[in-house]
Amino acid sequence: MRGGRHVAAVTGASFDLAAGECLALVGESGCGKSVLASALLGLLPGNAQTSGTAHVDGIDLLAADERTLARTVRGRRVGLVPQSPAAHLTPVRTVGAQLAETLRALTGTPRRETAAATVAAAGRAAFPADHLDRYPHELSGGLAQRAATALALIGDAPLLLADEPTTGLDRDLVDRTADELRRHTDEGRALLMITHDLAAAERIADRVAVMYAGRIVELTGARPFFGEPGPRHPYARGLLAALPERDFTPIPGLPPELGNLPAGCAFAARCDLVSERCGTRPALLSGVACHHPPAAPGDRTGNDA
């Protein structure tokens, strides 16, 4: 609820994520990506409502109570790299103390081995060892991001939710962070990477889910998405075309408010393929939710225009 109104922040999101796989969830700010991650960990505001199922290691995350989430899910089965790391770090404890506490809690690291294990944990996220005695307020945005990533990686959880894990990092650190997340995945764990950074997504993702106005409008392999034949949804094509290394052409207009969505296709007002059919909401069929997608490879029927 927002201002007494019901806001459908995420609707009908459906996907699977296998061990050893990275799914990149991309889209403009405000489309519902972070809300989805918060819902999976039970971190939504008290007035939020969820429905459906989300299973990890036999536990339905959406049905689990707070005790289960706190003791057996967060950090152990599902790790989180938060979107706002400074807000998730304990302000009165040093980064080193927080890493050490997490190591003991999640891995049972003996106290005599904690110092070396803390340095090693920091190194996984390129957090400098000589900053471990600093408090969160003494860190730059990029350092806070690396500290949060180091904390999230400690438990080696089967599922890692990385919400904008490269925010505030320069390109070299973006690549290093992305590569570490990919290593985490290659060791047999699943990664849901929520990001605006399409270059980072292209670097490590196996599949891409494009979200627009609270709905997944395209779900496809990363290779065809970033290469050939490219995205099939007009919005997804616009996201790539807006990149400086591509056409550098912005998508015209603005996305609709989640509390005031149109009855039909939410992208229709910004789409140059709009027709009368777009007055009805398209379902996600064959990986794309559009009435006028280009033909999928091997699809003999072509466009239904």
Side-chain angles (χ1 to χ4, degrees), residues 82 84-102 127 131-139 143-144 147-148 151:
S84 302
H88 285 72
L89 297 171
T90 304
V92 295
R93 304 191 68 192
T94 66
V95 173
Q98 294 180 61
L99 286 170
E101 179 184 39
T102 304
F127 188 90
H131 284 49
L132 286 170
D133 60 349
R134 296 193 178 186
Y135 291 88
H137 72 272
E138 298 177 300
L139 304 178
L143 282 174
L151 284 165

Short mmCIF file of all heavy atoms in Angstrom, two decimals, residues 82 84-102 127 131-139 143-144 147-148 151:
data_model
loop_
_atom_site.label_atom_id
_atom_site.label_comp_id
_atom_site.label_asym_id
_atom_site.label_seq_id
_atom_site.Cartn_x
_atom_site.Cartn_y
_atom_site.Cartn_z
N PRO A 82 23.31 -6.09 -0.71
CA PRO A 82 22.21 -5.12 -0.73
C PRO A 82 22.46 -3.95 -1.66
O PRO A 82 23.61 -3.60 -1.96
CB PRO A 82 22.14 -4.65 0.72
CG PRO A 82 23.55 -4.79 1.21
CD PRO A 82 24.09 -6.02 0.53
N SER A 84 21.79 -0.82 -0.99
CA SER A 84 22.33 0.30 -0.20
C SER A 84 23.20 -0.28 0.92
O SER A 84 22.74 -0.44 2.06
CB SER A 84 21.19 1.13 0.40
OG SER A 84 20.34 1.63 -0.63
N PRO A 85 24.45 -0.62 0.60
CA PRO A 85 25.28 -1.34 1.57
C PRO A 85 25.52 -0.59 2.87
O PRO A 85 25.57 -1.20 3.94
CB PRO A 85 26.58 -1.58 0.82
CG PRO A 85 26.60 -0.56 -0.28
CD PRO A 85 25.17 -0.37 -0.66
N ALA A 86 25.67 0.74 2.81
CA ALA A 86 25.96 1.50 4.03
C ALA A 86 24.83 1.34 5.04
O ALA A 86 25.07 1.32 6.25
CB ALA A 86 26.18 2.96 3.69
N ALA A 87 23.60 1.21 4.56
CA ALA A 87 22.46 1.06 5.46
C ALA A 87 22.38 -0.32 6.08
O ALA A 87 21.70 -0.53 7.09
CB ALA A 87 21.17 1.36 4.70
N HIS A 88 23.08 -1.31 5.50
CA HIS A 88 23.04 -2.67 6.01
C HIS A 88 24.23 -3.02 6.88
O HIS A 88 24.24 -4.05 7.54
CB HIS A 88 22.95 -3.67 4.84
CG HIS A 88 21.59 -3.73 4.21
ND1 HIS A 88 21.09 -2.73 3.42
CD2 HIS A 88 20.64 -4.69 4.26
CE1 HIS A 88 19.88 -3.07 3.00
NE2 HIS A 88 19.59 -4.24 3.49
N LEU A 89 25.24 -2.17 6.89
CA LEU A 89 26.40 -2.40 7.74
C LEU A 89 26.13 -1.82 9.14
O LEU A 89 25.54 -0.75 9.27
CB LEU A 89 27.65 -1.75 7.14
CG LEU A 89 28.10 -2.30 5.78
CD1 LEU A 89 29.20 -1.42 5.20
CD2 LEU A 89 28.56 -3.74 5.90
N THR A 90 26.58 -2.52 10.17
CA THR A 90 26.39 -2.03 11.53
C THR A 90 27.28 -0.81 11.76
O THR A 90 28.51 -0.91 11.65
CB THR A 90 26.74 -3.13 12.56
OG1 THR A 90 25.95 -4.29 12.28
CG2 THR A 90 26.49 -2.66 13.97
N PRO A 91 26.70 0.36 12.06
CA PRO A 91 27.50 1.59 12.08
C PRO A 91 28.51 1.67 13.22
O PRO A 91 29.48 2.42 13.12
CB PRO A 91 26.43 2.69 12.23
CG PRO A 91 25.26 2.01 12.84
CD PRO A 91 25.27 0.62 12.31
N VAL A 92 28.32 0.92 14.32
CA VAL A 92 29.19 1.06 15.49
C VAL A 92 30.24 -0.04 15.56
O VAL A 92 30.94 -0.18 16.58
CB VAL A 92 28.36 1.08 16.79
CG1 VAL A 92 27.47 2.30 16.82
CG2 VAL A 92 27.54 -0.20 16.93
N ARG A 93 30.38 -0.83 14.49
CA ARG A 93 31.39 -1.89 14.48
C ARG A 93 32.22 -1.77 13.22
O ARG A 93 31.73 -1.39 12.15
CB ARG A 93 30.73 -3.27 14.54
CG ARG A 93 29.82 -3.46 15.75
CD ARG A 93 29.43 -4.92 15.90
NE ARG A 93 30.58 -5.73 16.28
CZ ARG A 93 30.57 -7.06 16.25
NH1 ARG A 93 29.50 -7.70 15.83
NH2 ARG A 93 31.64 -7.73 16.61
N THR A 94 33.49 -2.10 13.34
CA THR A 94 34.37 -2.02 12.18
C THR A 94 34.00 -3.10 11.16
O THR A 94 33.33 -4.09 11.48
CB THR A 94 35.84 -2.22 12.59
OG1 THR A 94 36.02 -3.56 13.07
CG2 THR A 94 36.25 -1.20 13.64
N VAL A 95 34.47 -2.89 9.95
CA VAL A 95 34.23 -3.88 8.90
C VAL A 95 34.84 -5.22 9.29
O VAL A 95 34.22 -6.28 9.13
CB VAL A 95 34.80 -3.39 7.56
CG1 VAL A 95 34.71 -4.49 6.50
CG2 VAL A 95 34.08 -2.15 7.09
N GLY A 96 36.05 -5.18 9.83
CA GLY A 96 36.72 -6.42 10.24
C GLY A 96 35.93 -7.17 11.30
O GLY A 96 35.80 -8.40 11.24
N ALA A 97 35.38 -6.44 12.27
CA ALA A 97 34.60 -7.09 13.33
C ALA A 97 33.34 -7.74 12.75
O ALA A 97 32.94 -8.83 13.17
CB ALA A 97 34.23 -6.07 14.40
N GLN A 98 32.72 -7.08 11.79
CA GLN A 98 31.51 -7.64 11.19
C GLN A 98 31.82 -8.87 10.34
O GLN A 98 31.07 -9.85 10.34
CB GLN A 98 30.81 -6.56 10.35
CG GLN A 98 30.27 -5.43 11.22
CD GLN A 98 29.57 -4.35 10.43
OE1 GLN A 98 28.57 -4.61 9.76
NE2 GLN A 98 30.08 -3.12 10.50
N LEU A 99 32.95 -8.83 9.62
CA LEU A 99 33.35 -10.00 8.86
C LEU A 99 33.68 -11.17 9.79
O LEU A 99 33.28 -12.32 9.53
CB LEU A 99 34.55 -9.67 7.98
CG LEU A 99 34.31 -8.80 6.74
CD1 LEU A 99 35.64 -8.38 6.13
CD2 LEU A 99 33.47 -9.56 5.72
N ALA A 100 34.38 -10.89 10.87
CA ALA A 100 34.76 -11.94 11.80
C ALA A 100 33.53 -12.57 12.45
O ALA A 100 33.44 -13.80 12.59
CB ALA A 100 35.70 -11.37 12.87
N GLU A 101 32.59 -11.74 12.86
CA GLU A 101 31.37 -12.26 13.48
C GLU A 101 30.60 -13.15 12.50
O GLU A 101 30.10 -14.22 12.87
CB GLU A 101 30.49 -11.10 13.93
CG GLU A 101 29.17 -11.55 14.56
CD GLU A 101 28.29 -10.38 14.91
OE1 GLU A 101 28.24 -9.40 14.13
OE2 GLU A 101 27.62 -10.43 15.97
N THR A 102 30.53 -12.72 11.24
CA THR A 102 29.80 -13.49 10.23
C THR A 102 30.52 -14.80 9.94
O THR A 102 29.88 -15.84 9.77
CB THR A 102 29.66 -12.66 8.95
OG1 THR A 102 29.01 -11.41 9.26
CG2 THR A 102 28.82 -13.40 7.92
N PHE A 127 38.28 -5.96 -0.99
CA PHE A 127 38.27 -4.97 0.10
C PHE A 127 39.66 -4.96 0.72
O PHE A 127 40.18 -6.00 1.13
CB PHE A 127 37.23 -5.31 1.16
CG PHE A 127 37.05 -4.25 2.19
CD1 PHE A 127 36.13 -3.23 2.01
CD2 PHE A 127 37.84 -4.23 3.34
CE1 PHE A 127 35.98 -2.22 2.95
CE2 PHE A 127 37.70 -3.23 4.28
CZ PHE A 127 36.78 -2.22 4.09
N HIS A 131 41.96 -1.51 5.56
CA HIS A 131 40.75 -0.75 5.89
C HIS A 131 39.80 -1.54 6.79
O HIS A 131 38.71 -1.07 7.10
CB HIS A 131 40.00 -0.35 4.62
CG HIS A 131 40.62 0.77 3.86
ND1 HIS A 131 41.96 0.82 3.53
CD2 HIS A 131 40.09 1.92 3.36
CE1 HIS A 131 42.22 1.92 2.86
NE2 HIS A 131 41.10 2.60 2.74
N LEU A 132 40.22 -2.71 7.23
CA LEU A 132 39.33 -3.56 8.04
C LEU A 132 39.02 -2.94 9.40
O LEU A 132 38.00 -3.28 10.02
CB LEU A 132 39.95 -4.94 8.23
CG LEU A 132 39.92 -5.85 6.99
CD1 LEU A 132 40.77 -7.09 7.22
CD2 LEU A 132 38.48 -6.24 6.66
N ASP A 133 39.86 -2.04 9.88
CA ASP A 133 39.61 -1.43 11.19
C ASP A 133 38.78 -0.16 11.07
O ASP A 133 38.60 0.57 12.05
CB ASP A 133 40.93 -1.12 11.90
CG ASP A 133 41.81 -0.15 11.11
OD1 ASP A 133 41.50 0.11 9.92
OD2 ASP A 133 42.82 0.33 11.68
N ARG A 134 38.23 0.10 9.89
CA ARG A 134 37.41 1.29 9.69
C ARG A 134 35.92 0.99 9.93
O ARG A 134 35.46 -0.12 9.75
CB ARG A 134 37.60 1.85 8.28
CG ARG A 134 39.02 2.32 8.03
CD ARG A 134 39.12 3.15 6.77
NE ARG A 134 40.48 3.63 6.56
CZ ARG A 134 40.82 4.49 5.60
NH1 ARG A 134 39.90 4.94 4.75
NH2 ARG A 134 42.07 4.88 5.48
N TYR A 135 35.21 2.06 10.32
CA TYR A 135 33.77 1.95 10.52
C TYR A 135 33.06 2.31 9.21
O TYR A 135 33.63 2.99 8.35
CB TYR A 135 33.33 2.90 11.64
CG TYR A 135 33.83 2.47 13.00
CD1 TYR A 135 35.08 2.88 13.47
CD2 TYR A 135 33.06 1.63 13.81
CE1 TYR A 135 35.55 2.48 14.72
CE2 TYR A 135 33.53 1.22 15.06
CZ TYR A 135 34.77 1.65 15.50
OH TYR A 135 35.23 1.25 16.73
N PRO A 136 31.82 1.86 9.05
CA PRO A 136 31.11 2.11 7.79
C PRO A 136 31.08 3.58 7.37
O PRO A 136 31.19 3.88 6.17
CB PRO A 136 29.70 1.59 8.09
CG PRO A 136 29.93 0.47 9.05
CD PRO A 136 31.06 0.95 9.93
N HIS A 137 30.95 4.51 8.33
CA HIS A 137 30.87 5.92 7.94
C HIS A 137 32.20 6.45 7.41
O HIS A 137 32.25 7.53 6.82
CB HIS A 137 30.40 6.78 9.13
CG HIS A 137 31.43 6.96 10.20
ND1 HIS A 137 31.57 6.07 11.25
CD2 HIS A 137 32.37 7.93 10.40
CE1 HIS A 137 32.55 6.48 12.04
NE2 HIS A 137 33.05 7.60 11.55
N GLU A 138 33.27 5.69 7.60
CA GLU A 138 34.58 6.10 7.11
C GLU A 138 34.87 5.56 5.71
O GLU A 138 35.95 5.82 5.16
CB GLU A 138 35.67 5.62 8.07
CG GLU A 138 35.57 6.21 9.47
CD GLU A 138 36.62 5.66 10.41
OE1 GLU A 138 36.63 4.43 10.63
OE2 GLU A 138 37.44 6.46 10.92
N LEU A 139 33.94 4.84 5.14
CA LEU A 139 34.15 4.22 3.84
C LEU A 139 33.51 5.03 2.72
O LEU A 139 32.46 5.66 2.91
CB LEU A 139 33.54 2.81 3.82
CG LEU A 139 34.00 1.83 4.89
CD1 LEU A 139 33.25 0.51 4.73
CD2 LEU A 139 35.50 1.61 4.82
N LEU A 143 33.84 1.37 -1.37
CA LEU A 143 34.36 0.48 -0.32
C LEU A 143 33.23 -0.16 0.47
O LEU A 143 33.31 -1.34 0.84
CB LEU A 143 35.27 1.26 0.62
CG LEU A 143 36.70 1.55 0.11
CD1 LEU A 143 37.44 2.46 1.08
CD2 LEU A 143 37.46 0.24 -0.07
N ALA A 144 32.17 0.60 0.73
CA ALA A 144 31.02 0.02 1.42
C ALA A 144 30.40 -1.10 0.58
O ALA A 144 29.99 -2.13 1.12
CB ALA A 144 29.98 1.11 1.71
N ALA A 147 32.60 -4.12 0.97
CA ALA A 147 32.42 -4.73 2.29
C ALA A 147 31.15 -5.57 2.32
O ALA A 147 31.14 -6.69 2.86
CB ALA A 147 32.38 -3.64 3.37
N ALA A 148 30.07 -5.03 1.77
CA ALA A 148 28.81 -5.77 1.74
C ALA A 148 28.92 -7.03 0.90
O ALA A 148 28.36 -8.08 1.24
CB ALA A 148 27.69 -4.87 1.22
N LEU A 151 30.77 -9.70 2.89
CA LEU A 151 29.89 -10.30 3.88
C LEU A 151 28.94 -11.30 3.24
O LEU A 151 28.68 -12.38 3.78
CB LEU A 151 29.09 -9.21 4.60
CG LEU A 151 29.86 -8.39 5.64
CD1 LEU A 151 29.09 -7.13 6.00
CD2 LEU A 151 30.10 -9.23 6.89
#
